[in-house]
């Protein structure tokens, strides 16, 4: 990507350095259970500017006055949570790195979410890449002139707000054993909030509490990391705690409804040079004759589950709920990251923070390297120079 830096990185790379990097990354934290790639992505200025422009186009749609009306059918009725606020606090947009018609590297939108990602871990990851591989200290994962200090101040402002950190909890099912637990621990250490499994939160009336050292503490805000899609119909988990769908005296950061509003459901409403053609299956009048160029995705699924890559006509005709599926033109990833043994495909996630009453702000990024048919970790288990990483940029 930044050719000079890539050449230098690859020349100096060794398995010993990579193993030392992994050890350094986990030091003081739980074991990382997902694959972390050997290398960061070194993002050149031209691509950085395209990513910013691509994100701006999407945000323009989200900020339209009629956005809630457009997405009113996005939320499954059985998962509608009351007291929705006016904006998501987090926006994440995933772009595949492709070649455009003039042969230049260009981002193409793949997925989007109104839900938090690894906002704590990515900063930690960038630091460890720079330290372990002795990279230029001026390389940064941050946008908009943010530093590590100002970034975490902004993250704390969004998550904690005007409350005390002990009144705000990061919540997930079995939180300490999630694959993303290291992100939870980094976030908690940086902004002072408590990590709480759903099971440890108790309800009295409309209020929620947890216990610490025999003291009962009221929860004012939940930094929500619980994805309803992962629960499926297993709502028995709420019985000994609380049901998020009830009327509660609580603020959500971010409100669970935004997970659905800003999602694959939003993509058919987007157009532009950074967005691939996407339609609700229920609105496809004629099945394309070149189905090999399309992918079929369920609206409500998590981490690539249920996606059909090699679409056959029968896959479409067998679907009984076409309103819950999208047909999307495939994006051709360009293997532009130079590994020692050839090119590797890449995806970059832009991560925004949106404080109450302010504008959304592009802050940091997440990236994935892939040699498999899909980008997700489970599709790249047998390769090296693949997995989670971060984009580093020059000032």
């Amino acid at each position: 990507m930044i050719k000079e830096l890539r050449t230098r990185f690859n020349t100096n790379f060794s398995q010993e350095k990579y193993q030392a990097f992994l050890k350094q990354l986990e030091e003081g934290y739980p074991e990382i259970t997902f694959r972390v790639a050997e290398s960061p992505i070194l993002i050149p200025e031209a691509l950085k500017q395209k990513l910013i422009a691509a994100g701006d186009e999407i945000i323009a749609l989200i900020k339209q006055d009629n956005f809630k009306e457009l997405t009113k059918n996005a939320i499954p009725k059985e998962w509608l949570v009351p007291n929705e606020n006016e904006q998501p606090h987090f926006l994440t947009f995933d772009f595949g790195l492709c070649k455009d018609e003039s042969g230049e590297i260009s981002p193409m939108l793949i997925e989007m979410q109104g839900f938090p990602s690894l906002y704590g871990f990515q900063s930690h990851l960038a630091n460890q890449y720079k330290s372990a591989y002795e990279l230029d200290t001026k390389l940064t994962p941050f946008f908009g002139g943010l530093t590590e200090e100002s970034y975490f101040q902004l993250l704390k402002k969004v998550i904690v707000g005007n409350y005390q950190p002990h009144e705000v909890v990061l919540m997930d099912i079995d939180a300490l054993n999630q694959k993303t637990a290291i992100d939870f621990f980094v976030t908690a250490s940086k902004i002072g909030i408590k990590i709480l499994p759903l099971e440890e939160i108790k309800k009295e009336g409309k209020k929620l509490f947890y216990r610490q050292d025999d003291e009962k503490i009221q929860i004012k805000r939940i930094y929500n990391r619980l994805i309803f899609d992962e629960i499926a119909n297993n709502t028995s988990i709420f019985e000994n705690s609380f049901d998020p769908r009830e009327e509660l005296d609580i603020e959500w950061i971010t409100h669970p409804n935004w997970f659905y509003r800003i999602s694959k459901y939003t993509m058919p409403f987007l157009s532009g040079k950074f967005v691939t053609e996407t339609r609700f299956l229920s609105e496809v009048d004629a099945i394309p004759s070149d189905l090999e160029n399309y992918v079929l995705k369920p609206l409500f699924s998590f981490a690539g589950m249920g996606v059909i890559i090699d679409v056959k006509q029968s896959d479409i005709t067998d679907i009984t709920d076409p309103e819950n599926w999208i047909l999307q033109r495939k994006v051709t990833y360009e293997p532009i990251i130079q590994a020692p043994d050839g090119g590797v495909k890449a995806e970059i996630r832009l991560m925004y923070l949106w404080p109450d009453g302010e504008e959304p702000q592009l802050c940091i990024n997440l990236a994935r390297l892939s040699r498999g048919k899909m980008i997700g970790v489970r599709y790249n288990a047998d390769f090296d120079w693949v997995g989670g990483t971060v984009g580093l940029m020059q000032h």
Side-chain angles (χ1 to χ4, degrees):
M1 297 286 274
I2 302 178
K3 197 168 183 184
E4 174 200 338
L5 297 184
R6 172 52 61 204
T7 302
R8 192 184 311 157
F9 183 95
N10 289 11
T11 302
N12 295 327
F13 177 80
S14 69
Q15 273 301 320
E16 291 72 26
K17 282 183 181 175
Y18 176 53
Q19 293 305 321
F21 155 72
L22 292 177
K23 188 176 178 187
Q24 206 171 295
L25 191 63
E26 285 187 341
E27 201 169 307
Y29 292 111
E31 179 188 355
I32 298 172
T33 57
F34 54 89
R35 193 177 200 284
V36 179
E38 283 80 347
S39 169
I41 295 179
L42 303 162
I43 299 176
E45 183 65 23
L47 177 59
K48 174 185 170 182
Q49 294 305 324
K50 285 180 183 176
L51 286 163
I52 292 168
D56 286 347
E57 283 186 6
I58 301 166
I59 283 172
L61 172 78
I62 293 167
K63 289 180 70 179
Q64 283 180 194
D65 291 341
N66 66 338
F67 183 73
K68 278 197 170 185
E69 180 63 24
L70 275 180
T71 56
K72 66 182 179 183
N73 295 325
I75 308 159
K77 290 183 175 54
E78 66 273 23
W79 290 111
L80 186 66
V81 173
N83 302 318
E84 183 182 323
N85 65 329
E86 287 309 304
Q87 70 192 52
H89 297 94
F90 308 94
L91 295 169
T92 66
F93 307 147
D94 290 354
F95 295 92
L97 298 187
C98 310
K99 267 193 178 166
D100 63 19
E101 57 278 1
S102 58
E104 293 185 357
I105 299 305
S106 195
M108 288 296 286
L109 182 67
I110 307 296
E111 294 272 5
M112 54 199 298
Q113 284 187 328
F115 190 79
S117 185
L118 307 183
Y119 280 83
F121 178 66
Q122 289 306 113
S123 174
H124 173 64
L125 179 61
N127 284 340
Q128 300 314 316
Y129 274 125
K130 290 197 288 183
S131 168
Y133 292 110
E134 299 176 329
L135 303 180
D136 183 350
T137 55
K138 292 192 178 70
L139 288 169
T140 180
F142 301 111
F143 293 88
L146 286 170
T147 63
E148 184 176 12
E149 183 180 6
S150 62
Y151 169 69
F152 278 107
Q153 285 172 350
L154 181 60
L155 188 65
K156 185 171 184 177
K157 177 181 177 179
V158 169
I159 295 174
V160 179
N162 295 321
Y163 295 100
Q164 296 301 311
H166 70 272
E167 298 175 312
V168 183
V169 301
L170 185 160
M171 181 197 77
D172 202 344
I173 300 170
D174 194 19
L176 302 181
N177 296 308
Q178 288 287 336
K179 283 183 91 168
T180 50
I182 189 166
D183 175 66
F184 298 175
F185 280 90
V186 173
T187 303
S189 70
K190 287 289 188 180
I191 66 175
I193 62 176
K194 190 172 181 65
I195 304 165
L196 263 193
L198 173 80
E199 311 85 85
E200 292 185 21
I201 297 175
K202 303 301 175 189
K203 183 168 81 85
E204 294 179 17
K206 290 185 179 182
K207 292 181 166 46
L208 301 179
F209 297 89
Y210 69 94
R211 297 198 79 85
Q212 184 169 296
D213 303 327
D214 291 331
E215 184 185 354
K216 190 169 75 171
I217 298 170
Q218 186 182 347
I219 300 166
K220 303 289 180 66
R221 267 188 172 183
I222 292 176
Y223 175 33
N224 181 44
R225 302 300 293 264
L226 173 63
I227 295 175
F228 293 157
D229 282 20
E230 288 187 290
I231 301 166
N233 296 315
N234 182 26
T235 53
S236 60
I237 60 165
F238 298 144
E239 288 171 9
N240 295 317
S241 181
F242 75 101
D243 190 326
R245 298 165 296 183
E246 296 175 349
E247 282 280 349
L248 298 165
D249 185 7
I250 195 77
E251 289 181 20
W252 293 97
I253 308 295
T254 194
H255 194 284
N257 292 353
W258 288 105
F259 174 80
Y260 295 106
R261 287 190 184 278
I262 296 171
S263 64
K264 290 188 282 285
Y265 190 94
T266 320
M267 293 188 65
F269 300 109
L270 289 163
S271 61
K273 63 179 178 179
F274 303 118
V275 182
T276 190
E277 174 202 329
T278 306
R279 289 179 288 168
F280 294 111
L281 190 57
S282 56
E283 295 180 5
V284 175
D285 298 324
I287 296 176
S289 57
D290 58 337
L291 271 180
E292 68 276 8
N293 294 321
Y294 288 83
V295 61
L296 196 56
K297 296 181 178 180
L299 285 176
F300 308 114
S301 72
F302 177 67
M305 302 296 285
V307 173
I308 301 172
I309 303 173
D310 300 312
V311 186
K312 302 187 296 292
Q313 188 154 337
S314 59
D315 293 323
I316 293 177
T317 53
D318 287 349
I319 288 173
T320 56
D321 58 340
E323 69 281 0
N324 291 327
W325 290 76
I326 55 170
L327 188 65
Q328 188 176 69
R329 182 169 281 280
K330 280 180 181 172
V331 165
T332 304
Y333 290 75
E334 189 69 20
I336 53 173
I337 310 300
Q338 194 61 42
D341 61 347
V344 179
K345 296 178 284 189
E347 192 169 279
I348 293 177
R349 172 176 293 175
L350 298 184
M351 297 160 61
Y352 297 74
L353 291 170
W354 195 344
D356 288 323
E358 297 185 26
E359 292 294 306
Q361 186 171 341
L362 175 56
C363 296
I364 195 167
N365 74 88
L366 176 154
R368 298 191 190 101
L369 301 184
S370 170
R371 298 178 193 247
K373 213 168 195 180
M374 287 178 71
I375 288 283
V377 173
R378 64 167 63 85
Y379 306 101
N380 285 273
D382 301 324
F383 302 109
D384 61 4
W385 280 66
V386 298
T389 183
V390 66
L392 296 178
M393 298 165 284
Q394 294 173 313
H395 279 294

